Amino acid sequence: MKQDMIVILDLGSTKNTVLARAIRDLGVYSEIYPHDITLEELNALPNVKGIILNGGENRVVDGIAIDAAPEIYTANFPILAIDHPKATSGEKIANWSQSSLKKFIFDTCKAEANWSMKNFIADQVELLRQQIGKEKVLLALSGGVDSSVVAALLIRAIGDQLTCVHVNHGLMRKGESESVIEVFKNQLNANLIYVDATDRFLGKLANVSDPEQKRKIIGAEFINVFAEEAKKLDGIKFLGQGTIYPDIIESGTKTAKVVKSHHNVGGLPEDLNFDLVEPLKMLFKDEVRACGVELGLPAEMVYRQPFPGPGLGVRCLGAITRERLEAVRESDAILREEFHIAGLDKKVWQYFTIVPDFKSVGVKDNARCFEYPVILRAINTVDAMTASIEELPWPVLQKITKRILEEVPNVNRVCYDLSPKPCATIEWE
């Protein structure tokens, strides 16, 4: 089944995604396109039932108000024009959508509420089979939500034509590589290449304390390892990527500034010469999770917390040592376990531990010790631009502290970071 679609043309609004989500919440699929899309391009889109011209504070560019192509106004599409230049939040659109938006979509456009994950998966399986044919696909499977859902979707569509490469750089959280192997190799029977590159990565990172340099080394070395594995394989035509809709939107449009560039598995050597397969590129993050649930992935993988690409490398502050890296890994596992027991994993957006590169004096077994502190961080946020600190129950904090001090070697203090964003960042590095 092909979903009916409402097209949003960006005429300078900063709330395009809010509007798209409001439409999808009504059960109708929606996509955002630039204002200067041609009628030919519009006609090529599947099942377009109507067009919304979404104006806003960025509508005037170089002194001229942008608009859709004149021929779109005279084409055979129902059109609704919105202009909320004073809108500062999504509430106005959300409230408005419950009445006029609903009427436009269902009464004027005659769209059907047939947008669902079940239908999305069925459509994507068909599209993937058409795009890939009998060719082979390679996917870097980090164990993160996006790459895991892409892998599960590709397995359903093309089975053993997919080869996944999981690179363990030694900076994963406790049990994550084992979980990837269990789910994809043992349960889904995927062609999975597991590369334990721990020594290689930690060797490159030895004595490197600058956080940006660490990030660059980890990113570049991942590309090198992945490229080496790719060159060992014959007949690979496609590269799977976990690009999602916010990645595309945040990379900028003609009327919106770039928030950040997204490259996913970017920077691969040109001689690999892959075509891209990006089946999730039109989904928002919560929709990606819903897709994973529908595909049968375990909840702990689908609802995995946001995790930086460099992994625990940015939570082992300063030059990374194996001793402190293990302290981060073990303390993080305790924190996650206790948050799950207390039900905080459903309430707190992100929580993790940090181990800095300094020691303090303490007492263990009636003797002086000189060991590391563990810093706990638990934050809530809507858009990651600002973040507030979660007020943890005192008994939970005490239990976590007691376990870390008793179970994690080389640690004699536990601290709780109370700094919001701004002026602190979510991560420490």
Side-chain angles (χ1 to χ4, degrees), residues 106-125:
F106 296 112
D107 296 345
T108 305
C109 299
K110 308 297 183 186
E112 290 186 34
N114 54 13
W115 163 242
S116 68
M117 271 307 122
K118 186 175 182 179
N119 289 343
F120 170 82
I121 291 170
D123 284 352
Q124 282 301 316
V125 166

Side-chain angles (χ1 to χ4, degrees), residues 44-244:
L45 298 175
N47 290 17
V48 176
K49 294 296 183 179
I51 299 169
I52 296 179
L53 306 176
N54 198 25
E57 49 267 61
N58 295 323
R59 186 163 189 175
V60 177
V61 179
D62 296 329
I64 301 173
I66 60 174
D67 206 345
E71 58 267 28
I72 287 178
Y73 284 94
T74 57
N76 192 28
F77 292 108
I79 293 178
L80 177 66
I82 303 175
D83 208 346
H84 290 128
K86 295 182 181 179
T88 56
S89 72
E91 291 185 4
K92 293 184 179 180
I93 291 177
N95 292 336
W96 177 88
S97 72
Q98 298 305 311
S99 53
S100 302
L101 185 59
K102 209 170 184 178
K103 183 177 180 181
F104 173 72
I105 292 170
F106 296 112
D107 296 345
T108 305
C109 299
K110 308 297 183 186
E112 290 186 34
N114 54 13
W115 163 242
S116 68
M117 271 307 122
K118 186 175 182 179
N119 289 343
F120 170 82
I121 291 170
D123 284 352
Q124 282 301 316
V125 166
E126 180 183 337
L127 291 170
L128 286 167
R129 288 171 179 169
Q130 291 174 2
Q131 179 186 6
I132 297 165
K134 296 183 179 180
E135 302 292 343
K136 296 179 181 178
V137 182
L138 183 64
L139 174 70
L141 179 56
S142 68
V145 179
D146 301 336
S147 68
S148 297
V149 175
V150 169
L153 188 54
L154 285 167
I155 289 168
R156 178 167 294 191
I158 60 170
D160 59 9
Q161 291 170 242
L162 173 69
T163 297
C164 300
V165 176
H166 176 69
V167 178
N168 180 1
H169 48 28
L171 305 169
M172 305 289 286
R173 288 180 288 203
K174 187 173 183 178
E176 286 190 315
S177 287
E178 293 83 353
S179 175
V180 169
I181 294 169
E182 171 59 29
V183 171
F184 288 98
K185 190 176 184 67
N186 299 341
Q187 296 180 20
L188 298 180
N189 298 314
N191 293 324
L192 177 64
I193 298 172
Y194 171 71
V195 183
D196 187 351
T198 299
D199 292 341
R200 178 171 173 170
F201 275 83
L202 295 186
K204 293 278 186 179
L205 290 165
N207 302 315
V208 177
S209 59
D210 179 75
E212 282 306 306
Q213 191 178 357
K214 286 200 290 186
R215 286 178 180 270
K216 289 177 181 178
I217 290 171
I218 294 167
E221 200 59 22
F222 175 84
I223 290 168
N224 290 337
V225 173
F226 183 76
E228 288 169 15
E229 294 301 320
K231 288 177 179 177
K232 296 176 185 177
L233 303 171
D234 294 325
I236 302 290
K237 183 176 180 180
F238 292 96
L239 176 69
Q241 285 199 160
T243 308
I244 64 174

Side-chain angles (χ1 to χ4, degrees), residues 20-30 115 245 282 284 287:
R21 293 309 312 274
I23 296 170
R24 293 188 186 188
D25 286 345
L26 293 172
V28 179
Y29 186 59
S30 180
W115 163 242
Y245 210 15
M282 291 301 176
F284 293 98
E287 293 172 332

Side-chain angles (χ1 to χ4, degrees), residues 305-351:
Q305 283 190 65
F307 193 50
L312 298 181
V314 295
R315 297 175 183 171
C316 185
L317 305 186
I320 297 171
T321 65
R322 291 177 185 263
E323 182 179 75
R324 284 192 299 111
L325 186 59
E326 279 307 300
V328 176
R329 198 183 331 269
E330 293 299 323
S331 61
D332 176 81
I334 290 171
L335 179 68
R336 287 189 288 133
E337 182 180 336
E338 293 300 330
F339 265 46
H340 176 71
I341 292 170
L344 290 168
D345 56 336
K346 304 290 193 303
K347 183 182 178 185
V348 182
W349 187 77
Q350 191 171 14
Y351 45 95

